[in-house]
Each structure stands twice: as structure tokens, then as C-alpha cells.
Amino acid sequence: MLSDRSRPVIEATLPVVADNIQEIARRFYGHLFGAHPELFDGVFNRGNQATGEQQVALAGSVAVFASTLVETPEQVPERLLSRIAHKHASLGVTPAQYDVVHEHLFWAIADVLGEAVTPEVAAAWDEVYWLMAYALLHQERGLYSAQGVRPETVWREWEVAEKTQETADVVTFRVRRVDDRLVKTSLPGQYVTVKVPMPDGVHQPRQYSLTRADDGEHRQFSVKRVHGGDGPDGEVSTHLCDRVQVGDRLTMSLPFGDVVLDDSGRPVVFASAGIGITPMAGMLSHLTAAGSHLPITLLHADVDEDSFALRGQVLGDVRELPGARIHVWFERGAHATLPFDGVHAGVMDLDAVDLPEGAVYYLCGPLPFMRAVRSSLVDRGVPARDIQYEVFGPDLWQADLASEPAPGALTEPAGAVR
């Protein structure tokens, strides 16, 4: 909890810090990498740095945490902290790196706000930083301990056993173990970080959902090629899709991720769009391996059937599960050759299907899609605690702002979901 001395200072300065926090984040990262360029090697995603997404993520998470300390001092944003802690653990983040971040973040605050940063203001924001840092460090320590590793030993080598072209832009990799270290089973819905050496020698990390239940020897993940539009294409996705072949080795972290399948025995509803199918495929695979008889509903939206990645695996698992059904929505029309339970044209329409009572919901896809689906479910009376969602990329804070867009957040396109 924030101290009584710091609370009025944070209340008074939060608006000006919030107004300037993206510029603070921009200068922070520039100063940090100027002093520690080695952090680009295996820790920070330089693609997100180039687009500014990482700066927005840092700015938003700090603002959300500080606001929570002021507005609801009896609680902290647990979901936000959990997501960040799992992401940090998958990168092998160390306690010492929090000291480095502190040094350069507070340099940036003073650089942007100047004389407004009095000793009292600096002390109050220092308290906010370390409250957030210690909360994350505590969770990360627990995650490392549960896996029986230290930050530097979350990594291991795997060999590519199969490479499958799912769609024009999605490739699935099935990798096998190459050493005798114990392989702990991943939880359904978790992801791994893949660390890839780039042509300039810098290792770049990316997180990918595990798309099939572990068998003790193999793991599977799918990669969507990132097209840059006006900018460069995604360097890691391009490298994996074009250059990595069967027999090559990949460096991968242990599995992490806090959006995992509930084991309460309640009905399950998956709602995904595009490459958001990947964690759903992993959860379905686990349910199939367990011989589940739960009522399961999969709702998926995509451009067309050919764009639906992992459709063969997903449909096969649905058909093996006696209580499962699948409905799809295709932007290019209700045309399909596969035996889905329902094929619909246009955007996802929750009114087109019967949703089970008392279900647990899992969402994954573009942020506007998830916000729209979540808002629709809440309007129907589904408790917020029964809706989980996986966020790809650094937009960890935006998904925690309920159904109202935050300043700088992505806006919901008209008709994204009904």
C-alpha cells in the first residue's frame, strides 16, 4: 500500500505524469539502450521499440498501477501484474535488471518534467516504482521456483522435427527434445519464448502459444508472418517462416502464461479471431488428451476457410470431444468445405449461437475484437471473473481497462462483434 506521505503527492502529480508518460517512456528507452545495448540481445523486442508499442505498454502499465494505488488502495491490478510477471519469467528477467530500469526511468522523469520533480515528488514516485517492482519480483520468484530454474536456466535447445505450412502466412513448428533434462508438462493455454539469432548477431525473443498438448518429447507452436505494411516485415517471423528448417535447433524458454484452462468442470466457450486460434488449439488438444466430456463451444472468426490456421487439428479435436461444437464466421461469405457445426458470413454474432449457462470464456484475437466480445458478454450478464483473455504483444495494460477504450488505446471498429 502507498504510504500516507506519498498518497497526496501521487494524487496531485498523476495527471501531469500521465500526460507526459509516453514521452517519459520514449526517453527512458533511448537512455537505457544507450547505456546498456546488450539488453537488446535476448530481452527486448526491437520491433516493438521501433513501432513505439513497448513505450505505450510501459507507460500504460505504470499509469494503471499508480492509479490503482490511489483509487483502490486495498487492492492492486493482479491480472496486469500476473501477465507481466509471466512475460518476464519467459525472458529470464533478473532482479538486478529492476535496478537498471529504475536508474534510467527516473532519469527520464526528471528530464521530461524538470523542476516539477521536487525531492518529495521523486520520493513518492520512487515508492510507486518499488511497490510495483517488488510485487513483480515476488511473482517472478515464485514462477522460477515452481519450474525449478533460475532466470538464466529457463532456456533449452529443441530440434525442429516437423514444419507445416498451415496457411499462406502461418507455419507450425513441432520440435523435439535433444537432452535429458526433465520436460515439465505445460499448462493448457501457455506460451514459450523463442529466442532467434538475427543476421547482425543480436538474439530477438518472441512469444508463441503452444498449440498442442505435450507428449513428454515434443512441443508445438505456430508462427504468423508479420507483414510490415509501410514498415519492415517482422524480422523473427520472417526468419522462422523462411529460414528455419527441419533439423535446425531453436532456443526456447520453459512454458509460462497465466491464461490457462479452468479445471472446475464448468462448460467452456472459446472465442477467437485470426491467429488468436493458437491458445485455443492448445487448450482443445489438452481436453482431447484428457478425454473430456465437458460442453465445449468454439467460436472463430477469420477471412475465409483457407485463412483459418490449424483448422484440421482443431476440427479433429472437436469431433473427438463428445460435448464439443464449432461455429465459424468468414468475412468473405458463409462458404466452407469442412463439416463445421455452423458457418456464418461477416463478423462474429453471438446471437447466432446458444451459449451454455455457467460457462467459462476464453478470448484471443485483435484487441478491438476481444474488447467487443467481452463487452457483449458482460451485457448478457456473464460475470467479468468468468472471462479470460490472452493478449499478444505488449498491450498488456489495454485489455485490463474493461470495455471502455483508454487514452491511446485501439478503438473498436464498427460491427466488430454483435
Side-chain angles (χ1 to χ4, degrees):
M1 294 178 63
L2 199 59
S3 67
D4 291 339
R5 181 185 64 181
S6 293
R7 182 178 307 283
V9 179
I10 298 300
E11 287 179 329
T13 57
L14 185 56
V16 68
V17 171
D19 287 344
N20 290 276
I21 200 163
Q22 291 194 33
E23 178 61 17
I24 291 170
R26 186 186 69 79
R27 296 197 198 180
F28 156 71
Y29 279 115
H31 202 254
L32 174 69
F33 294 131
H36 296 278
E38 72 278 3
L39 290 176
F40 261 138
D41 193 1
V43 179
F44 282 94
N45 178 329
R46 60 187 178 186
N48 290 334
Q49 289 292 323
T51 63
E53 292 179 15
Q54 189 65 55
Q55 290 89 322
V56 171
L58 173 70
S61 63
V62 172
V64 167
F65 186 80
S67 297
T68 302
L69 291 178
V70 170
E71 296 168 8
T72 55
E74 70 282 358
Q75 63 185 32
V76 295
E78 292 288 354
R79 183 169 289 181
L80 173 70
L81 293 174
S82 179
R83 282 202 182 99
I84 296 173
H86 277 268
K87 186 68 68 72
H88 283 182
S90 80
L91 293 165
V93 167
T94 67
Q97 288 169 336
Y98 280 89
D99 293 308
V100 174
V101 167
H102 175 269
E103 173 190 349
H104 295 277
L105 180 59
F106 277 77
W107 172 89
I109 291 173
D111 190 51
V112 172
L113 300 183
E115 294 180 358
V117 185
T118 64
E120 292 76 17
V121 169
W125 281 96
D126 186 78
E127 185 178 340
V128 169
Y129 175 83
W130 285 113
L131 283 171
M132 186 172 182
Y134 286 136
L136 289 170
L137 282 165
H138 174 73
Q139 291 198 32
E140 290 157 24
R141 190 179 301 114
L143 292 172
Y144 291 135
S145 177
Q147 293 277 19
V149 297
R150 301 182 304 278
E152 62 271 19
T153 59
V154 301
W155 307 101
R156 65 187 296 175
E157 294 279 297
W158 296 75
E159 183 180 279
V160 178
E162 299 174 35
K163 181 181 180 182
T164 305
Q165 191 77 42
E166 298 282 350
T167 71
D169 287 329
V170 178
V171 174
T172 292
F173 292 90
R174 188 164 173 78
V175 298
R176 60 172 161 246
R177 59 188 296 181
V178 295
D179 58 37
D180 294 329
R181 288 173 59 190
L182 176 67
V183 176
K184 288 194 174 182
T185 303
S186 63
L187 298 176
Q190 290 191 310
Y191 56 80
V192 293
T193 294
V194 180
K195 188 164 60 174
V196 179
M198 295 290 98
D200 60 1
V202 172
H203 292 78
Q204 279 292 281
R206 299 292 187 274
Q207 284 79 35
Y208 297 106
S209 296
L210 293 168
T211 54
R212 190 184 290 272
D214 298 345
D215 63 5
E217 294 292 328
H218 299 85
R219 286 202 167 126
Q220 178 179 299
F221 63 94
S222 299
V223 178
K224 181 177 181 179
R225 185 189 299 271
V226 177
H227 295 288
D230 295 334
D233 292 342
E235 58 177 345
V236 173
S237 66
T238 298
H239 176 86
L240 290 170
C241 291
D242 290 349
R243 299 183 183 89
V244 174
Q245 303 298 334
V246 172
D248 291 343
R249 291 197 176 187
L250 293 172
T251 301
M252 290 170 34
S253 76
L254 295 172
F256 291 98
D258 64 331
V259 180
V260 297
L261 193 63
D262 181 88
D263 61 358
S264 64
R266 299 163 60 190
V268 178
V269 178
F270 301 114
S272 58
I275 197 61
I277 190 61
T278 51
M280 312 308 184
M283 293 189 218
L284 276 171
S285 179
H286 278 266
L287 288 165
T288 302
S292 174
H293 285 73
L294 289 175
I296 300 164
T297 304
L298 173 62
L299 313 175
H300 181 70
D302 226 310
V303 176
D304 53 28
E305 187 179 67
D306 289 340
S307 301
F308 184 174
L310 296 161
R311 57 190 179 275
Q313 174 188 319
V314 166
L315 185 58
D317 284 338
V318 167
R319 291 295 167 251
E320 284 195 42
L321 292 164
R325 59 196 177 119
I326 177 172
H327 284 257
V328 295
W329 283 259
F330 295 138
E331 293 177 17
R332 293 177 178 168
H335 312 296
T337 60
L338 294 173
F340 302 113
D341 295 298
V343 182
H344 313 270
V347 298
M348 186 178 290
D349 181 359
L350 299 184
D351 289 333
V353 293
D354 293 325
L355 300 177
E357 293 291 330
V360 180
Y361 291 81
Y362 299 88
L363 317 180
C364 191
L367 189 59
F369 167 83
M370 290 195 293
R371 182 180 290 119
V373 173
R374 183 183 184 280
S375 180
S376 178
L377 291 172
V378 170
D379 287 345
R380 291 162 178 256
V382 176
R385 65 177 179 274
D386 291 339
I387 306 170
Q388 295 196 57
Y389 36 81
E390 182 61 273
V391 182
F392 293 161
D395 301 296
L396 302 175
W397 63 284
Q398 297 184 26
D400 288 295
L401 299 179
S403 55
E404 292 299 320
L410 297 176
T411 54
E412 177 184 324
V417 67
R418 295 190 295 271

